[in-house]
Amino acid sequence: MRGTAFAPQLTDGDVSEYLAQLEMLSKGYREESEIWPVNIPEFDTVAVHSRPIAPETFKLVLAAIRQRQCLKARYVSLSSGSEGFRAILPHALASDGHRWHMRAFDFDNQRYSDFVLSRLEAKGFADTPSGDLPRDVDWTSTIQLVLTADPAMPEPRRERLESEYRMRKGALRVKIRQAMLFYYLRFYGFNPHDLEGGAMRNVSSFHLKVANMEEVEKWLGRRN
């Protein structure tokens, strides 16, 4: 039996570590004999079904990032009819919590974009067009998203929400890459496409508010 002086040595004792083990078990990454929790409770998780990432394409993406080479790739976008092969120079991977993306410079559109890996087909390397590329400012810039509890909530509920999100002085300050802002907003229950008066409607499904909305709109590219 664990004594009062017990302190974990192999973990930090955080509940998220235990739940991560259950996540790996549910997704088939581990067998029950390979995770450390014992007497596993009955549990279930939401299974997200999406198109699988082609292993050969993923290998080429990793090689292109390591070797700083262009990919000859075709990307099937739901918002664009362009499905031809083009030169794309990847430099990083990013997850929105639901899908994995490739962060890359798109020579056709002359900009950095995120490409969902499951929609990408790579056919090898391509010659890198001559000339210097612009810096991926959105990826290298760190910004701060400031969230507060909805002030319209009754005080006891607002205090519980502030405690749940470990807010300090009534605010949760999240340091993130500017390129990841859209994904973080969705993670916290906001819809960046839901506009009101030309700006994102400041309504979250989790009863949160964005405190620095003007900055957020600027970072989203909708204000100067």
PDB file of all heavy atoms in Angstrom, residues 21-34:
ATOM      1  N   GLN A  21      -2.140   7.117 -21.370  1.00  0.00           N
ATOM      2  CA  GLN A  21      -1.986   5.673 -21.498  1.00  0.00           C
ATOM      3  C   GLN A  21      -3.276   5.039 -22.022  1.00  0.00           C
ATOM      4  O   GLN A  21      -3.248   4.153 -22.890  1.00  0.00           O
ATOM      5  CB  GLN A  21      -1.624   5.067 -20.137  1.00  0.00           C
ATOM      6  CG  GLN A  21      -0.320   5.567 -19.533  1.00  0.00           C
ATOM      7  CD  GLN A  21       0.895   5.062 -20.286  1.00  0.00           C
ATOM      8  OE1 GLN A  21       1.034   3.877 -20.531  1.00  0.00           O
ATOM      9  NE2 GLN A  21       1.771   5.975 -20.655  1.00  0.00           N
ATOM     10  N   LEU A  22      -4.412   5.498 -21.509  1.00  0.00           N
ATOM     11  CA  LEU A  22      -5.691   4.981 -21.992  1.00  0.00           C
ATOM     12  C   LEU A  22      -5.914   5.350 -23.457  1.00  0.00           C
ATOM     13  O   LEU A  22      -6.462   4.557 -24.237  1.00  0.00           O
ATOM     14  CB  LEU A  22      -6.841   5.523 -21.134  1.00  0.00           C
ATOM     15  CG  LEU A  22      -6.835   5.175 -19.646  1.00  0.00           C
ATOM     16  CD1 LEU A  22      -8.132   5.653 -18.991  1.00  0.00           C
ATOM     17  CD2 LEU A  22      -6.622   3.692 -19.397  1.00  0.00           C
ATOM     18  N   GLU A  23      -5.502   6.551 -23.843  1.00  0.00           N
ATOM     19  CA  GLU A  23      -5.628   6.979 -25.244  1.00  0.00           C
ATOM     20  C   GLU A  23      -4.838   6.053 -26.158  1.00  0.00           C
ATOM     21  O   GLU A  23      -5.327   5.624 -27.208  1.00  0.00           O
ATOM     22  CB  GLU A  23      -5.118   8.421 -25.397  1.00  0.00           C
ATOM     23  CG  GLU A  23      -6.055   9.483 -24.870  1.00  0.00           C
ATOM     24  CD  GLU A  23      -7.067   9.928 -25.906  1.00  0.00           C
ATOM     25  OE1 GLU A  23      -7.060   9.385 -27.024  1.00  0.00           O
ATOM     26  OE2 GLU A  23      -7.874  10.811 -25.579  1.00  0.00           O
ATOM     27  N   MET A  24      -3.591   5.741 -25.786  1.00  0.00           N
ATOM     28  CA  MET A  24      -2.757   4.873 -26.615  1.00  0.00           C
ATOM     29  C   MET A  24      -3.351   3.471 -26.710  1.00  0.00           C
ATOM     30  O   MET A  24      -3.305   2.836 -27.762  1.00  0.00           O
ATOM     31  CB  MET A  24      -1.335   4.814 -26.053  1.00  0.00           C
ATOM     32  CG  MET A  24      -0.547   6.096 -26.238  1.00  0.00           C
ATOM     33  SD  MET A  24       1.211   5.929 -25.854  1.00  0.00           S
ATOM     34  CE  MET A  24       1.138   5.744 -24.065  1.00  0.00           C
ATOM     35  N   LEU A  25      -3.941   3.009 -25.613  1.00  0.00           N
ATOM     36  CA  LEU A  25      -4.571   1.698 -25.617  1.00  0.00           C
ATOM     37  C   LEU A  25      -5.784   1.691 -26.542  1.00  0.00           C
ATOM     38  O   LEU A  25      -5.967   0.766 -27.345  1.00  0.00           O
ATOM     39  CB  LEU A  25      -4.987   1.323 -24.187  1.00  0.00           C
ATOM     40  CG  LEU A  25      -5.675  -0.033 -23.994  1.00  0.00           C
ATOM     41  CD1 LEU A  25      -4.737  -1.169 -24.391  1.00  0.00           C
ATOM     42  CD2 LEU A  25      -6.127  -0.192 -22.544  1.00  0.00           C
ATOM     43  N   SER A  26      -6.593   2.748 -26.468  1.00  0.00           N
ATOM     44  CA  SER A  26      -7.822   2.791 -27.267  1.00  0.00           C
ATOM     45  C   SER A  26      -7.535   2.886 -28.759  1.00  0.00           C
ATOM     46  O   SER A  26      -8.294   2.380 -29.581  1.00  0.00           O
ATOM     47  CB  SER A  26      -8.694   3.965 -26.833  1.00  0.00           C
ATOM     48  OG  SER A  26      -8.117   5.207 -27.221  1.00  0.00           O
ATOM     49  N   LYS A  27      -6.418   3.536 -29.121  1.00  0.00           N
ATOM     50  CA  LYS A  27      -6.076   3.714 -30.536  1.00  0.00           C
ATOM     51  C   LYS A  27      -5.238   2.573 -31.092  1.00  0.00           C
ATOM     52  O   LYS A  27      -4.868   2.586 -32.266  1.00  0.00           O
ATOM     53  CB  LYS A  27      -5.343   5.046 -30.725  1.00  0.00           C
ATOM     54  CG  LYS A  27      -6.241   6.253 -30.463  1.00  0.00           C
ATOM     55  CD  LYS A  27      -5.494   7.560 -30.610  1.00  0.00           C
ATOM     56  CE  LYS A  27      -6.416   8.747 -30.351  1.00  0.00           C
ATOM     57  NZ  LYS A  27      -5.710  10.040 -30.443  1.00  0.00           N
ATOM     58  N   GLY A  28      -4.924   1.598 -30.234  1.00  0.00           N
ATOM     59  CA  GLY A  28      -4.182   0.435 -30.708  1.00  0.00           C
ATOM     60  C   GLY A  28      -2.686   0.622 -30.770  1.00  0.00           C
ATOM     61  O   GLY A  28      -1.975  -0.212 -31.334  1.00  0.00           O
ATOM     62  N   TYR A  29      -2.167   1.730 -30.205  1.00  0.00           N
ATOM     63  CA  TYR A  29      -0.729   1.954 -30.207  1.00  0.00           C
ATOM     64  C   TYR A  29      -0.023   1.102 -29.152  1.00  0.00           C
ATOM     65  O   TYR A  29       1.187   0.885 -29.231  1.00  0.00           O
ATOM     66  CB  TYR A  29      -0.416   3.434 -29.932  1.00  0.00           C
ATOM     67  CG  TYR A  29      -0.998   4.391 -30.953  1.00  0.00           C
ATOM     68  CD1 TYR A  29      -1.437   5.652 -30.582  1.00  0.00           C
ATOM     69  CD2 TYR A  29      -1.124   4.031 -32.300  1.00  0.00           C
ATOM     70  CE1 TYR A  29      -1.975   6.537 -31.501  1.00  0.00           C
ATOM     71  CE2 TYR A  29      -1.659   4.901 -33.223  1.00  0.00           C
ATOM     72  CZ  TYR A  29      -2.088   6.155 -32.813  1.00  0.00           C
ATOM     73  OH  TYR A  29      -2.628   7.022 -33.736  1.00  0.00           O
ATOM     74  N   ARG A  30      -0.766   0.654 -28.153  1.00  0.00           N
ATOM     75  CA  ARG A  30      -0.213  -0.174 -27.087  1.00  0.00           C
ATOM     76  C   ARG A  30      -1.185  -1.300 -26.756  1.00  0.00           C
ATOM     77  O   ARG A  30      -2.389  -1.155 -26.921  1.00  0.00           O
ATOM     78  CB  ARG A  30       0.040   0.648 -25.805  1.00  0.00           C
ATOM     79  CG  ARG A  30       1.087   1.727 -25.926  1.00  0.00           C
ATOM     80  CD  ARG A  30       2.497   1.151 -25.992  1.00  0.00           C
ATOM     81  NE  ARG A  30       3.492   2.208 -25.920  1.00  0.00           N
ATOM     82  CZ  ARG A  30       3.918   2.903 -26.971  1.00  0.00           C
ATOM     83  NH1 ARG A  30       3.412   2.661 -28.174  1.00  0.00           N
ATOM     84  NH2 ARG A  30       4.827   3.853 -26.820  1.00  0.00           N
ATOM     85  N   GLU A  31      -0.626  -2.418 -26.299  1.00  0.00           N
ATOM     86  CA  GLU A  31      -1.440  -3.487 -25.752  1.00  0.00           C
ATOM     87  C   GLU A  31      -1.620  -3.237 -24.258  1.00  0.00           C
ATOM     88  O   GLU A  31      -0.869  -2.458 -23.651  1.00  0.00           O
ATOM     89  CB  GLU A  31      -0.763  -4.843 -25.984  1.00  0.00           C
ATOM     90  CG  GLU A  31      -0.588  -5.212 -27.452  1.00  0.00           C
ATOM     91  CD  GLU A  31      -1.906  -5.476 -28.159  1.00  0.00           C
ATOM     92  OE1 GLU A  31      -2.882  -5.828 -27.457  1.00  0.00           O
ATOM     93  OE2 GLU A  31      -1.955  -5.321 -29.387  1.00  0.00           O
ATOM     94  N   GLU A  32      -2.602  -3.901 -23.665  1.00  0.00           N
ATOM     95  CA  GLU A  32      -2.859  -3.695 -22.243  1.00  0.00           C
ATOM     96  C   GLU A  32      -1.638  -4.032 -21.396  1.00  0.00           C
ATOM     97  O   GLU A  32      -1.397  -3.408 -20.357  1.00  0.00           O
ATOM     98  CB  GLU A  32      -4.058  -4.548 -21.813  1.00  0.00           C
ATOM     99  CG  GLU A  32      -4.601  -4.183 -20.452  1.00  0.00           C
ATOM    100  CD  GLU A  32      -5.952  -4.823 -20.171  1.00  0.00           C
ATOM    101  OE1 GLU A  32      -6.761  -4.935 -21.125  1.00  0.00           O
ATOM    102  OE2 GLU A  32      -6.191  -5.202 -19.010  1.00  0.00           O
ATOM    103  N   SER A  33      -0.847  -5.002 -21.868  1.00  0.00           N
ATOM    104  CA  SER A  33       0.350  -5.403 -21.120  1.00  0.00           C
ATOM    105  C   SER A  33       1.493  -4.399 -21.252  1.00  0.00           C
ATOM    106  O   SER A  33       2.494  -4.497 -20.540  1.00  0.00           O
ATOM    107  CB  SER A  33       0.828  -6.774 -21.598  1.00  0.00           C
ATOM    108  OG  SER A  33       1.158  -6.737 -22.988  1.00  0.00           O
ATOM    109  N   GLU A  34       1.348  -3.411 -22.163  1.00  0.00           N
ATOM    110  CA  GLU A  34       2.434  -2.469 -22.429  1.00  0.00           C
ATOM    111  C   GLU A  34       2.238  -1.115 -21.743  1.00  0.00           C
ATOM    112  O   GLU A  34       3.106  -0.247 -21.837  1.00  0.00           O
ATOM    113  CB  GLU A  34       2.575  -2.242 -23.941  1.00  0.00           C
ATOM    114  CG  GLU A  34       2.974  -3.498 -24.706  1.00  0.00           C
ATOM    115  CD  GLU A  34       3.004  -3.278 -26.202  1.00  0.00           C
ATOM    116  OE1 GLU A  34       1.991  -2.788 -26.756  1.00  0.00           O
ATOM    117  OE2 GLU A  34       4.040  -3.585 -26.823  1.00  0.00           O
TER     118      GLU A  34
END
